[in-house]
Amino acid sequence: MVRVTPDDRVPEIWLAATPQDEAVSAVLDIIPEGWAASLVQRQLSEEHAAALNMKREKSGNISRPDRLAIPLRGS
């Protein structure tokens, strides 16, 4: 999970279907310039991952076949 701070300064939580050490870079690649991103230390639960059509791979990474990173609205 990545905390994204857009121009309006209201933080959002984004989910990155990448290894944890690549999550911030993946999100920075797709958000507008000037927005900030930082890693959230808490990991997504198995139940939440399943509800979002994400799955944990044997490596422990969570993947989602159709998107690399998605905003989690209502956070």
Side-chain angles (χ1 to χ4, degrees):
M1 290 192 292
V2 177
R3 179 184 313 277
V4 173
T5 306
D7 291 336
D8 66 6
R9 311 304 295 163
V10 177
E12 301 175 355
I13 299 298
W14 283 51
L15 305 176
T18 65
Q20 189 173 16
D21 61 342
E22 298 174 14
V24 172
S25 293
V27 171
L28 284 171
D29 285 346
I30 60 175
I31 61 176
E33 189 173 326
W35 290 22
S38 61
L39 189 64
V40 174
Q41 294 301 319
R42 190 173 136 213
Q43 293 190 357
L44 190 65
S45 72
E46 295 292 334
E47 294 80 20
H48 288 120
L52 293 164
N53 192 28
M54 300 175 95
K55 65 177 184 173
R56 189 169 304 276
E57 298 172 345
K58 289 181 184 177
S59 64
N61 295 331
I62 291 181
S63 66
R64 181 178 162 125
D66 57 340
R67 298 178 84 179
L68 178 63
I70 58 171
L72 182 61
R73 299 290 179 207
S75 55

